[in-house]
Structure formats: C-alpha cells, structure tokens
Amino acid sequence: MKTDMTGGRPVNAHAGDALKAAALRLVRLNGYDSVSITAITKEAGVARQTLYNRWNTKADLVLDAVFEETQNYAAPPREDDPRSARDLIEEFLIGVFSHLTANGDILRALIAAAQLDASFQTTFYSKFVYPRERMITELLDRAKKQGELATDRDPDLVSSLIHGAFWYRLLNRGTLDAAFAKAITADIFNQSVTETSRTDLDQGRFAR
C-alpha cells in the first residue's frame, strides 16, 4: 500500500476520497445503472486497480460514499443529551429522512443490487441498515426506562415497525419529511401514554 504523505494525508486516502466523490457525482447525474467503474476511475483520475484494492464492486464503493454522508444528516445523539427520548427520536428520524430523500434513487439502486448479491446484501445491512436500527432501539430502551414508553412495549418490535414504515415509503417513492417523522413519533408515544393511562385505571379498579 502506498503511504507517501501529501499535505499530511496518505496518497491512498486522497485516492479513496476522489473515488467516492466521483462515484456520487456521476451516479446523481446519470443514474446508478448508467455509471461504470471505468467512468468513475476516469472522473476521479485514479487507476482502476486502485479502486479494486479498496472495493469489490461498484455497489460497495457507492455505499461507502453514501454512508459517509450520514453523519451530515443524522449523527448519533450524545448519551448525556438531557432531552427526552421522544425528542431525540423525532430529531434523529428527521435527519434520517432528509438523508434518504437526498439519496433516494441511489439507495433504491443499492437495495436492488443487494437482492442480486448476497455478499453485498450482508454489507448493506451491517454497514447502513443495522446501525440505524440499533440507534432507534437504544433510544426506545431509554424511553422505556424513563417512563416515556409503556412497560409492555417491545423496543425491538417498535424499532422494526418504524423502519418498515420508512423503508416502504422509500421503495415506493413516498414522501419522507419532517411531518412524517413527527407523525411516527407521535403515534408511538401517544399510544404509550394511552396504554399507560389504561393500565393505571385497571390497577386502580382492581385495587378497590
């Protein structure tokens, strides 16, 4: 691996950045299926072998490029953030939906690629899908511990329902916006308030 330094960064790091930037630029301009590896390396000014030294397929390269942008839209909340879990989930979903909307066509193409390549499907899930699922589930766990989520709600199941809702909209080109994020959050937590109130009433009834 070439490690000569230029401007404080390894040459190979500059090549990787150039390839990711070129991949995103071309895919957004021409569509995922219309962009070849040759076009990406030419746009980046990088040798074809340099690309294959890092990524096995075009899908792997584009996924890495899209994943890097995630932090610009939906960074994980800090553990010491004093806000309610409900507010954190709503804010996180708004960021996620902005990212999915900005890269909708690319992500739909990557999902299609994942159906044809089992290895890439595993990479797509572990690198892009699972981390977000884990974040939402952990926030729901926090909500449950803080009394914001009803004690009989399963954070894993609720997280799956949330992800099912927005992946369905993404695949069908539905609207993913702040209003939808707020509607999902309100439904989850308003239902929890109703269930908690009902439980309290039942407990009071049996206590008499």
Side-chain angles (χ1 to χ4, degrees), residues 61-154:
L61 165 59
V62 174
L63 176 60
D64 267 4
V66 172
F67 180 74
E68 276 198 1
E69 285 197 338
T70 303
Q71 298 298 323
N72 297 329
Y73 290 87
R78 301 191 322 271
E79 291 186 7
D80 61 348
D81 195 309
R83 290 175 294 168
S84 68
R86 173 177 178 153
D87 287 344
L88 293 174
I89 288 174
E90 183 177 287
E91 181 183 81
F92 184 69
L93 288 177
I94 290 172
V96 168
F97 292 177
S98 294
H99 185 230
L100 294 179
T101 298
N103 293 285
D105 288 339
I106 297 175
L107 287 166
R108 281 184 286 272
L110 291 176
I111 291 170
Q115 308 315 300
L116 303 174
D117 183 338
S119 177
F120 178 66
Q121 191 279 330
T122 299
T123 300
F124 183 78
Y125 177 76
S126 63
K127 182 171 289 188
F128 194 82
V129 178
Y130 178 75
R132 296 174 186 226
E133 286 184 353
R134 192 68 253 152
M135 287 178 207
I136 293 291
T137 303
E138 288 174 355
L139 286 171
L140 290 167
D141 277 327
R142 185 193 301 190
K144 192 170 181 177
K145 291 174 182 176
Q146 294 175 173
E148 297 177 61
L149 194 68
T151 56
D152 60 350
R153 301 298 295 278
D154 180 349

Coordinates of all heavy atoms in Angstrom, one line a residue, residues 61-154:
L61 N -18.5 0.6 -3.3 CA -17.9 2.0 -3.4 C -19.0 3.0 -3.1 O -18.9 3.9 -2.3 CB -17.3 2.2 -4.7 CG -17.0 3.7 -5.1 CD1 -16.0 4.3 -4.1 CD2 -16.3 3.7 -6.5
V62 N -20.2 2.9 -3.9 CA -21.2 3.9 -3.7 C -21.8 3.8 -2.3 O -22.1 4.9 -1.7 CB -22.3 3.6 -4.8 CG1 -23.5 4.5 -4.6 CG2 -21.7 3.8 -6.2
L63 N -21.9 2.6 -1.7 CA -22.5 2.5 -0.4 C -21.6 3.3 0.6 O -22.0 4.0 1.5 CB -22.6 1.1 0.0 CG -23.0 0.8 1.5 CD1 -24.4 1.4 1.8 CD2 -23.0 -0.7 1.8
D64 N -20.2 3.1 0.5 CA -19.3 3.8 1.4 C -19.5 5.3 1.2 O -19.4 6.1 2.2 CB -17.9 3.4 1.0 CG -17.4 2.3 1.9 OD1 -18.2 1.7 2.7 OD2 -16.2 1.9 1.8
A65 N -19.6 5.8 0.0 CA -19.8 7.2 -0.3 C -21.0 7.7 0.3 O -21.0 8.8 1.0 CB -19.8 7.5 -1.8
V66 N -22.1 7.0 0.2 CA -23.4 7.4 0.8 C -23.3 7.4 2.3 O -23.8 8.3 3.0 CB -24.6 6.6 0.3 CG1 -25.9 6.9 1.0 CG2 -24.8 6.8 -1.2
F67 N -22.7 6.3 2.8 CA -22.7 6.2 4.3 C -21.9 7.3 4.9 O -22.3 7.8 6.0 CB -22.0 4.8 4.6 CG -21.9 4.6 6.1 CD1 -23.0 4.2 6.8 CD2 -20.6 4.7 6.7 CE1 -22.9 4.0 8.2 CE2 -20.5 4.5 8.1 CZ -21.7 4.1 8.8
E68 N -20.8 7.8 4.3 CA -20.1 8.9 4.9 C -20.9 10.1 5.0 O -20.6 10.9 5.9 CB -18.8 9.2 4.0 CG -17.7 8.3 4.2 CD -16.4 8.8 3.7 OE1 -16.4 10.0 3.1 OE2 -15.3 8.2 3.8
E69 N -21.9 10.3 4.2 CA -22.8 11.5 4.3 C -23.7 11.4 5.4 O -24.3 12.4 5.8 CB -23.5 11.7 3.0 CG -22.7 12.2 1.8 CD -23.6 12.8 0.7 OE1 -24.8 12.4 0.7 OE2 -23.1 13.6 0.0
T70 N -23.9 10.2 6.0 CA -24.9 10.0 7.0 C -24.7 11.0 8.2 O -25.6 11.5 8.7 CB -24.9 8.6 7.5 OG1 -25.1 7.7 6.4 CG2 -26.0 8.3 8.6
Q71 N -23.4 11.1 8.6 CA -23.1 12.0 9.7 C -23.5 13.4 9.5 O -23.8 14.2 10.5 CB -21.6 11.9 10.0 CG -21.1 10.6 10.4 CD -21.7 10.0 11.6 OE1 -22.0 10.8 12.6 NE2 -22.0 8.7 11.7
N72 N -23.6 13.9 8.2 CA -24.1 15.2 8.0 C -25.6 15.4 8.2 O -26.0 16.5 8.3 CB -23.7 15.6 6.5 CG -22.2 15.6 6.2 OD1 -21.4 15.8 7.1 ND2 -21.9 15.3 5.0
Y73 N -26.3 14.3 8.2 CA -27.7 14.4 8.3 C -28.2 13.9 9.7 O -29.2 14.4 10.3 CB -28.4 13.6 7.2 CG -28.3 14.1 5.8 CD1 -27.2 13.8 5.0 CD2 -29.3 15.0 5.3 CE1 -27.1 14.4 3.8 CE2 -29.2 15.5 4.0 CZ -28.1 15.2 3.3 OH -27.9 15.7 2.0
A74 N -27.7 12.8 10.1 CA -28.3 12.1 11.3 C -27.2 11.5 12.2 O -27.0 10.3 12.2 CB -29.3 11.0 10.9
A75 N -26.4 12.3 12.8 CA -25.4 11.9 13.7 C -26.0 11.3 15.0 O -27.1 11.7 15.4 CB -24.5 13.0 14.2
P76 N -25.4 10.2 15.6 CA -26.0 9.6 16.8 C -26.1 10.6 17.9 O -25.2 11.5 18.1 CB -25.0 8.5 17.1 CG -24.2 8.3 15.9 CD -24.2 9.6 15.1
P77 N -27.2 10.6 18.7 CA -27.3 11.6 19.8 C -26.3 11.2 20.9 O -25.9 10.1 21.1 CB -28.7 11.3 20.3 CG -29.1 10.0 19.8 CD -28.4 9.8 18.5
R78 N -25.9 12.2 21.6 CA -24.9 12.0 22.7 C -25.7 11.3 23.9 O -26.8 11.5 24.1 CB -24.4 13.3 23.2 CG -23.7 14.2 22.2 CD -22.9 15.3 22.9 NE -23.7 15.9 24.0 CZ -24.6 16.9 23.9 NH1 -24.8 17.4 22.7 NH2 -25.2 17.4 25.0
E79 N -24.9 10.5 24.6 CA -25.5 9.7 25.7 C -25.9 10.7 26.8 O -26.9 10.4 27.6 CB -24.5 8.7 26.2 CG -24.3 7.5 25.3 CD -23.4 6.5 25.9 OE1 -23.1 6.6 27.1 OE2 -23.0 5.5 25.2
D80 N -25.3 11.8 27.0 CA -25.6 12.7 28.0 C -26.6 13.8 27.6 O -26.8 14.8 28.3 CB -24.3 13.4 28.6 CG -23.6 14.2 27.5 OD1 -23.9 14.0 26.3 OD2 -22.6 14.9 27.9
D81 N -27.2 13.7 26.4 CA -28.1 14.7 26.0 C -29.3 14.7 26.9 O -30.0 13.6 27.2 CB -28.6 14.3 24.6 CG -29.3 15.5 23.9 OD1 -30.3 16.0 24.5 OD2 -29.0 15.8 22.7
P82 N -29.7 15.8 27.5 CA -30.7 15.9 28.6 C -32.1 15.8 28.0 O -33.1 15.7 28.8 CB -30.4 17.2 29.3 CG -29.9 18.1 28.2 CD -29.0 17.1 27.3
R83 N -32.3 15.9 26.7 CA -33.7 15.9 26.2 C -34.3 14.6 26.3 O -33.7 13.6 26.5 CB -33.6 16.4 24.7 CG -33.3 17.8 24.5 CD -33.1 18.1 23.0 NE -32.0 17.4 22.4 CZ -31.8 17.3 21.1 NH1 -32.6 17.9 20.3 NH2 -30.7 16.7 20.7
S84 N -35.7 14.6 26.2 CA -36.4 13.4 26.3 C -36.1 12.4 25.1 O -35.6 12.9 24.0 CB -37.9 13.7 26.2 OG -38.3 14.1 25.0
A85 N -36.3 11.1 25.3 CA -36.0 10.2 24.3 C -36.9 10.4 23.1 O -36.6 10.3 21.9 CB -36.2 8.8 24.8
R86 N -38.2 10.9 23.4 CA -39.1 11.2 22.3 C -38.5 12.3 21.4 O -38.5 12.2 20.1 CB -40.4 11.7 22.9 CG -41.4 12.2 21.8 CD -42.7 12.5 22.4 NE -43.6 13.1 21.3 CZ -44.9 13.0 21.3 NH1 -45.5 12.5 22.4 NH2 -45.6 13.5 20.3
D87 N -38.0 13.4 22.0 CA -37.4 14.5 21.2 C -36.2 14.0 20.4 O -36.0 14.4 19.2 CB -37.0 15.6 22.1 CG -38.2 16.4 22.6 OD1 -39.3 16.2 22.1 OD2 -38.0 17.1 23.6
L88 N -35.4 13.1 21.0 CA -34.2 12.6 20.3 C -34.6 11.7 19.1 O -34.0 11.8 18.1 CB -33.3 11.9 21.3 CG -32.7 12.7 22.4 CD1 -32.0 11.8 23.4 CD2 -31.7 13.7 21.8
I89 N -35.6 10.9 19.3 CA -36.0 10.0 18.2 C -36.6 10.8 17.1 O -36.3 10.6 15.9 CB -37.1 9.0 18.7 CG1 -36.3 7.9 19.6 CG2 -37.8 8.3 17.6 CD1 -37.3 7.0 20.3
E90 N -37.4 11.8 17.4 CA -38.0 12.7 16.4 C -36.9 13.4 15.6 O -37.0 13.4 14.3 CB -39.0 13.7 17.0 CG -39.7 14.6 16.0 CD -40.7 15.5 16.6 OE1 -41.7 15.0 17.1 OE2 -40.4 16.7 16.7
E91 N -36.0 14.0 16.3 CA -34.9 14.7 15.6 C -34.1 13.7 14.7 O -33.7 14.1 13.6 CB -34.0 15.4 16.6 CG -32.8 16.1 16.0 CD -31.9 16.7 17.1 OE1 -31.1 16.0 17.6 OE2 -32.1 17.9 17.4
F92 N -33.8 12.6 15.3 CA -33.0 11.6 14.5 C -33.7 11.1 13.3 O -33.1 11.1 12.2 CB -32.7 10.4 15.4 CG -31.8 9.3 14.8 CD1 -30.5 9.6 14.5 CD2 -32.3 8.1 14.4 CE1 -29.6 8.7 13.9 CE2 -31.5 7.2 13.8 CZ -30.1 7.5 13.6
L93 N -35.0 10.9 13.4 CA -35.8 10.5 12.2 C -35.9 11.6 11.1 O -35.8 11.3 9.9 CB -37.2 10.1 12.6 CG -37.3 8.7 13.4 CD1 -38.8 8.5 13.8 CD2 -36.8 7.6 12.5
I94 N -36.0 12.8 11.6 CA -36.0 13.9 10.6 C -34.7 13.9 9.8 O -34.7 14.1 8.6 CB -36.2 15.3 11.3 CG1 -37.7 15.3 11.9 CG2 -35.9 16.4 10.4 CD1 -37.9 16.6 12.8
G95 N -33.6 13.7 10.5 CA -32.3 13.7 9.9 C -32.1 12.5 8.9 O -31.7 12.7 7.8
V96 N -32.6 11.4 9.4 CA -32.5 10.1 8.5 C -33.4 10.3 7.3 O -32.9 10.0 6.2 CB -33.0 8.9 9.3 CG1 -33.2 7.7 8.4 CG2 -32.0 8.5 10.4
F97 N -34.6 10.9 7.4 CA -35.4 11.1 6.3 C -34.9 12.1 5.3 O -35.0 11.9 4.1 CB -36.8 11.5 6.7 CG -37.6 10.5 7.5 CD1 -38.8 10.7 8.1 CD2 -37.1 9.2 7.7 CE1 -39.5 9.8 8.8 CE2 -37.7 8.2 8.4 CZ -39.0 8.5 9.0
S98 N -34.2 13.1 5.8 CA -33.6 14.1 4.9 C -32.5 13.4 4.1 O -32.4 13.6 2.8 CB -32.9 15.2 5.7 OG -33.9 16.0 6.3
H99 N -31.7 12.5 4.7 CA -30.7 11.8 4.0 C -31.2 10.8 3.0 O -30.8 10.7 1.8 CB -29.8 11.0 5.0 CG -28.6 10.3 4.4 ND1 -28.3 9.0 4.7 CD2 -27.7 10.8 3.6 CE1 -27.2 8.7 4.0 NE2 -26.8 9.7 3.4
L100 N -32.3 10.1 3.4 CA -32.9 9.1 2.5 C -33.5 9.8 1.3 O -33.5 9.3 0.1 CB -34.0 8.3 3.2 CG -33.5 7.4 4.3 CD1 -34.7 6.7 4.9 CD2 -32.5 6.4 3.8
T101 N -34.1 11.0 1.5 CA -34.7 11.8 0.4 C -33.6 12.3 -0.6 O -33.8 12.2 -1.8 CB -35.5 13.0 1.0 OG1 -36.6 12.5 1.8 CG2 -36.1 13.8 -0.2
A102 N -32.5 12.8 0.0 CA -31.5 13.3 -0.8 C -30.8 12.2 -1.7 O -30.3 12.5 -2.8 CB -30.4 14.0 0.0
N103 N -30.8 11.0 -1.2 CA -30.1 9.9 -1.9 C -31.1 8.8 -2.3 O -30.7 7.6 -2.4 CB -29.0 9.4 -1.0 CG -27.9 10.4 -0.8 OD1 -27.1 10.6 -1.7 ND2 -27.8 11.0 0.4
G104 N -32.4 9.1 -2.4 CA -33.4 8.1 -2.7 C -33.1 7.2 -3.8 O -33.2 6.0 -3.7
D105 N -32.8 7.8 -5.0 CA -32.5 7.0 -6.2 C -31.3 6.1 -6.0 O -31.4 4.9 -6.4 CB -32.3 7.9 -7.4 CG -33.6 8.6 -7.9 OD1 -34.7 8.0 -7.5 OD2 -33.5 9.6 -8.6
I106 N -30.3 6.6 -5.4 CA -29.1 5.8 -5.2 C -29.4 4.6 -4.2 O -29.0 3.5 -4.5 CB -28.0 6.6 -4.6 CG1 -27.6 7.7 -5.5 CG2 -26.8 5.8 -4.2 CD1 -26.5 8.7 -5.0
L107 N -30.1 4.9 -3.2 CA -30.4 3.8 -2.2 C -31.4 2.8 -2.8 O -31.2 1.6 -2.5 CB -31.0 4.4 -0.9 CG -30.0 5.2 -0.1 CD1 -30.7 6.0 1.0 CD2 -29.1 4.2 0.6
R108 N -32.3 3.2 -3.6 CA -33.2 2.2 -4.2 C -32.3 1.3 -5.2 O -32.6 0.1 -5.2 CB -34.3 2.9 -5.0 CG -35.5 3.4 -4.1 CD -36.6 3.9 -4.9 NE -36.3 5.3 -5.4 CZ -36.5 6.4 -4.8 NH1 -37.0 6.4 -3.6 NH2 -36.2 7.6 -5.3
A109 N -31.4 1.9 -5.8 CA -30.5 1.1 -6.7 C -29.6 0.1 -5.9 O -29.4 -1.0 -6.3 CB -29.6 2.0 -7.5
L110 N -29.1 0.6 -4.7 CA -28.3 -0.3 -3.9 C -29.2 -1.4 -3.3 O -28.7 -2.5 -3.1 CB -27.7 0.5 -2.7 CG -26.6 1.5 -3.2 CD1 -26.1 2.4 -2.0 CD2 -25.4 0.8 -3.8
I111 N -30.4 -1.1 -2.9 CA -31.3 -2.2 -2.4 C -31.5 -3.2 -3.5 O -31.5 -4.4 -3.2 CB -32.6 -1.6 -1.9 CG1 -32.4 -0.7 -0.7 CG2 -33.7 -2.7 -1.7 CD1 -33.6 0.1 -0.3
A112 N -31.7 -2.8 -4.7 CA -31.9 -3.7 -5.9 C -30.6 -4.5 -6.0 O -30.7 -5.8 -6.3 CB -32.2 -2.9 -7.1
A113 N -29.4 -3.9 -5.9 CA -28.2 -4.6 -6.1 C -28.0 -5.7 -5.0 O -27.5 -6.8 -5.2 CB -27.0 -3.7 -6.0
A114 N -28.5 -5.3 -3.8 CA -28.4 -6.3 -2.6 C -29.2 -7.5 -2.9 O -28.9 -8.6 -2.3 CB -28.8 -5.6 -1.4
Q115 N -30.3 -7.4 -3.6 CA -31.1 -8.6 -3.9 C -30.4 -9.6 -4.9 O -30.8 -10.8 -4.9 CB -32.5 -8.2 -4.5 CG -33.2 -7.1 -3.7 CD -33.2 -7.4 -2.2 OE1 -33.7 -8.4 -1.8 NE2 -32.7 -6.5 -1.4
L116 N -29.5 -9.1 -5.6 CA -28.8 -9.9 -6.6 C -27.4 -10.4 -6.1 O -26.8 -11.3 -6.7 CB -28.6 -9.1 -7.9 CG -29.8 -8.6 -8.5 CD1 -29.5 -7.7 -9.7 CD2 -30.8 -9.7 -9.0
D117 N -26.9 -9.9 -5.0 CA -25.6 -10.2 -4.5 C -25.7 -10.4 -3.0 O -25.8 -9.5 -2.2 CB -24.6 -9.1 -4.8 CG -23.2 -9.4 -4.4 OD1 -23.0 -10.2 -3.5 OD2 -22.3 -8.7 -5.0
A118 N -25.6 -11.7 -2.5 CA -25.8 -12.0 -1.1 C -24.7 -11.3 -0.3 O -24.9 -10.9 0.9 CB -25.8 -13.5 -0.9
S119 N -23.5 -11.3 -0.8 CA -22.4 -10.7 -0.1 C -22.6 -9.2 0.1 O -22.4 -8.7 1.2 CB -21.0 -10.9 -0.8 OG -20.0 -10.2 -0.2
F120 N -23.1 -8.5 -0.9 CA -23.3 -7.1 -0.8 C -24.6 -6.9 0.1 O -24.6 -5.9 0.9 CB -23.6 -6.4 -2.1 CG -23.9 -5.0 -2.0 CD1 -22.9 -4.1 -1.6 CD2 -25.2 -4.5 -2.3 CE1 -23.3 -2.7 -1.4 CE2 -25.5 -3.1 -2.2 CZ -24.5 -2.3 -1.7
Q121 N -25.5 -7.8 0.1 CA -26.7 -7.6 1.0 C -26.2 -7.6 2.4 O -26.7 -6.8 3.2 CB -27.7 -8.8 0.7 CG -29.0 -8.6 1.4 CD -29.0 -9.0 2.9 OE1 -28.3 -9.9 3.3 NE2 -29.8 -8.3 3.7
T122 N -25.3 -8.5 2.8 CA -24.8 -8.5 4.1 C -24.1 -7.2 4.5 O -24.2 -6.7 5.6 CB -23.8 -9.7 4.3 OG1 -24.5 -10.9 4.0 CG2 -23.2 -9.7 5.7
T123 N -23.3 -6.7 3.5 CA -22.6 -5.5 3.7 C -23.5 -4.3 3.9 O -23.4 -3.5 4.8 CB -21.6 -5.2 2.6 OG1 -20.7 -6.2 2.4 CG2 -20.9 -3.9 2.8
F124 N -24.5 -4.2 3.0 CA -25.5 -3.1 3.1 C -26.3 -3.1 4.4 O -26.4 -2.1 5.0 CB -26.5 -3.3 2.0 CG -27.5 -2.2 1.9 CD1 -27.2 -1.0 1.3 CD2 -28.8 -2.4 2.3 CE1 -28.1 0.1 1.2 CE2 -29.8 -1.4 2.3 CZ -29.4 -0.1 1.7
Y125 N -26.6 -4.3 4.9 CA -27.4 -4.4 6.2 C -26.4 -4.0 7.3 O -26.8 -3.2 8.2 CB -27.9 -5.8 6.4 CG -28.6 -5.9 7.8 CD1 -29.9 -5.4 7.9 CD2 -28.0 -6.5 8.8 CE1 -30.5 -5.4 9.2 CE2 -28.6 -6.6 10.1 CZ -29.8 -6.0 10.2 OH -30.4 -6.1 11.5
S126 N -25.3 -4.6 7.4 CA -24.4 -4.4 8.5 C -23.8 -2.9 8.6 O -23.7 -2.4 9.7 CB -23.2 -5.4 8.5 OG -22.4 -5.2 7.4
K127 N -23.6 -2.3 7.4 CA -23.0 -1.0 7.4 C -24.0 0.1 7.4 O -23.8 1.2 8.0 CB -22.1 -0.9 6.2 CG -21.4 0.4 6.1 CD -20.3 0.4 5.0 CE -19.1 -0.4 5.3 NZ -18.0 -0.3 4.4
F128 N -25.2 -0.1 6.8 CA -26.1 1.0 6.6 C -27.4 0.9 7.3 O -27.9 1.8 7.9 CB -26.4 1.2 5.1 CG -27.1 2.5 4.8 CD1 -26.4 3.7 4.6 CD2 -28.5 2.6 4.6 CE1 -27.0 4.9 4.3 CE2 -29.1 3.8 4.4 CZ -28.4 4.9 4.2
V129 N -28.0 -0.3 7.3 CA -29.3 -0.5 8.0 C -29.1 -0.8 9.5 O -29.8 -0.1 10.3 CB -30.0 -1.7 7.3 CG1 -31.4 -2.0 8.0 CG2 -30.2 -1.4 5.8
Y130 N -28.3 -1.7 9.9 CA -28.3 -2.1 11.3 C -27.9 -1.0 12.2 O -28.5 -0.9 13.3 CB -27.3 -3.3 11.5 CG -27.2 -3.7 12.9 CD1 -28.2 -4.4 13.5 CD2 -26.0 -3.4 13.6 CE1 -28.1 -4.8 14.9 CE2 -25.9 -3.7 15.0 CZ -26.9 -4.4 15.6 OH -26.8 -4.8 16.9
P131 N -26.9 -0.2 11.9 CA -26.5 0.9 12.8 C -27.7 1.8 13.2 O -27.8 2.3 14.3 CB -25.4 1.7 12.1 CG -24.8 0.6 11.2 CD -26.0 -0.2 10.7
R132 N -28.5 2.1 12.2 CA -29.7 3.0 12.5 C -30.7 2.3 13.3 O -31.4 2.8 14.2 CB -30.3 3.5 11.1 CG -29.3 4.3 10.3 CD -29.9 4.7 9.0 NE -28.9 5.4 8.2 CZ -29.2 6.5 7.4 NH1 -30.4 6.9 7.4 NH2 -28.3 7.1 6.7
E133 N -30.9 1.0 13.0 CA -31.9 0.2 13.8 C -31.4 0.2 15.2 O -32.2 0.3 16.1 CB -31.9 -1.2 13.2 CG -32.7 -1.4 11.9 CD -32.8 -2.8 11.5 OE1 -32.2 -3.7 12.2 OE2 -33.5 -3.1 10.5
R134 N -30.1 0.0 15.4 CA -29.6 -0.1 16.8 C -29.8 1.2 17.5 O -30.2 1.2 18.7 CB -28.1 -0.4 16.7 CG -27.4 -0.8 18.0 CD -28.0 -2.2 18.5 NE -28.9 -2.0 19.6 CZ -29.9 -2.8 19.9 NH1 -30.1 -3.9 19.2 NH2 -30.6 -2.6 21.0
M135 N -29.5 2.3 16.8 CA -29.7 3.6 17.5 C -31.2 3.9 17.9 O -31.4 4.3 19.0 CB -29.3 4.8 16.5 CG -27.8 4.9 16.3 SD -27.4 6.2 15.1 CE -25.9 5.6 14.4
I136 N -32.1 3.6 17.0 CA -33.5 3.7 17.4 C -33.9 2.8 18.5 O -34.6 3.2 19.5 CB -34.4 3.4 16.2 CG1 -34.2 4.5 15.1 CG2 -35.9 3.4 16.6 CD1 -34.7 5.9 15.4
T137 N -33.5 1.6 18.5 CA -33.8 0.6 19.5 C -33.2 1.1 20.9 O -33.9 1.0 21.9 CB -33.3 -0.8 19.2 OG1 -33.8 -1.2 17.9 CG2 -33.7 -1.8 20.3
E138 N -32.0 1.6 20.9 CA -31.4 2.1 22.1 C -32.2 3.3 22.7 O -32.3 3.4 23.9 CB -29.9 2.4 21.9 CG -29.1 1.2 21.7 CD -27.6 1.5 21.3 OE1 -27.3 2.7 21.1 OE2 -26.8 0.6 21.2
L139 N -32.6 4.2 21.8 CA -33.4 5.3 22.2 C -34.7 4.9 22.8 O -35.3 5.4 23.8 CB -33.6 6.3 21.1 CG -32.4 7.1 20.7 CD1 -32.6 7.9 19.4 CD2 -32.0 8.1 21.9
L140 N -35.3 3.9 22.2 CA -36.6 3.3 22.7 C -36.4 2.6 24.1 O -37.3 2.7 24.9 CB -37.2 2.3 21.7 CG -37.7 3.0 20.4 CD1 -38.0 1.9 19.4 CD2 -39.0 3.8 20.7
D141 N -35.3 2.0 24.2 CA -34.9 1.4 25.5 C -34.8 2.5 26.6 O -35.3 2.3 27.7 CB -33.6 0.6 25.5 CG -33.7 -0.8 24.9 OD1 -34.8 -1.4 25.2 OD2 -32.8 -1.3 24.2
R142 N -34.2 3.6 26.2 CA -34.0 4.7 27.1 C -35.4 5.3 27.5 O -35.7 5.6 28.6 CB -33.2 5.8 26.5 CG -32.9 7.0 27.5 CD -32.3 8.2 26.8 NE -31.1 7.9 26.1 CZ -30.3 8.9 25.6 NH1 -30.7 10.2 25.7 NH2 -29.2 8.6 25.0
A143 N -36.3 5.4 26.5 CA -37.6 5.9 26.7 C -38.4 5.0 27.7 O -39.1 5.5 28.5 CB -38.4 6.0 25.4
K144 N -38.2 3.7 27.5 CA -38.9 2.8 28.4 C -38.4 2.9 29.8 O -39.2 2.9 30.8 CB -38.7 1.3 27.9 CG -39.6 0.3 28.5 CD -39.5 -1.0 27.8 CE -40.4 -2.1 28.4 NZ -40.3 -3.4 27.6
K145 N -37.1 3.0 30.0 CA -36.6 3.2 31.4 C -37.0 4.5 32.0 O -37.1 4.6 33.2 CB -35.0 3.1 31.3 CG -34.5 1.7 30.9 CD -33.0 1.7 30.7 CE -32.5 0.3 30.3 NZ -31.0 0.3 30.0
Q146 N -37.2 5.5 31.2 CA -37.6 6.8 31.7 C -39.1 7.0 31.8 O -39.5 8.1 32.2 CB -37.0 7.9 30.8 CG -35.5 8.0 30.8 CD -34.9 9.0 29.8 OE1 -33.7 9.2 29.7 NE2 -35.8 9.6 28.9
G147 N -39.8 6.0 31.5 CA -41.2 6.0 31.7 C -42.0 6.7 30.5 O -43.2 7.0 30.6
E148 N -41.3 7.0 29.4 CA -41.9 7.6 28.3 C -42.6 6.6 27.4 O -43.5 6.9 26.6 CB -40.9 8.3 27.4 CG -40.2 9.5 28.1 CD -39.1 10.1 27.3 OE1 -39.4 10.6 26.2 OE2 -37.9 10.0 27.6
L149 N -42.1 5.4 27.5 CA -42.7 4.3 26.6 C -43.3 3.3 27.6 O -42.8 2.9 28.6 CB -41.6 3.6 25.8 CG -42.0 2.7 24.7 CD1 -42.7 3.5 23.5 CD2 -40.8 2.0 24.1
A150 N -44.5 2.8 27.2 CA -45.3 1.9 28.1 C -44.4 0.6 28.4 O -43.6 0.2 27.5 CB -46.6 1.4 27.4
T151 N -44.5 0.1 29.6 CA -43.7 -1.0 30.0 C -43.9 -2.3 29.2 O -43.0 -3.2 29.2 CB -43.9 -1.3 31.5 OG1 -45.3 -1.6 31.7 CG2 -43.5 -0.2 32.4
D152 N -45.1 -2.4 28.6 CA -45.3 -3.6 27.8 C -45.0 -3.5 26.3 O -45.2 -4.4 25.5 CB -46.8 -4.0 27.9 CG -47.8 -3.0 27.4 OD1 -47.3 -1.9 27.1 OD2 -49.0 -3.3 27.2
R153 N -44.4 -2.4 25.9 CA -43.9 -2.2 24.5 C -42.5 -2.8 24.4 O -41.7 -2.7 25.2 CB -43.8 -0.7 24.2 CG -45.1 0.1 24.3 CD -46.2 -0.4 23.4 NE -45.9 -0.2 22.0 CZ -46.1 0.9 21.3 NH1 -46.5 2.0 21.9 NH2 -45.9 1.0 20.0
D154 N -42.3 -3.5 23.2 CA -41.1 -4.1 22.9 C -40.2 -3.2 22.0 O -40.6 -3.0 20.9 CB -41.3 -5.4 22.2 CG -40.1 -6.2 21.8 OD1 -39.0 -5.6 22.0 OD2 -40.2 -7.4 21.4

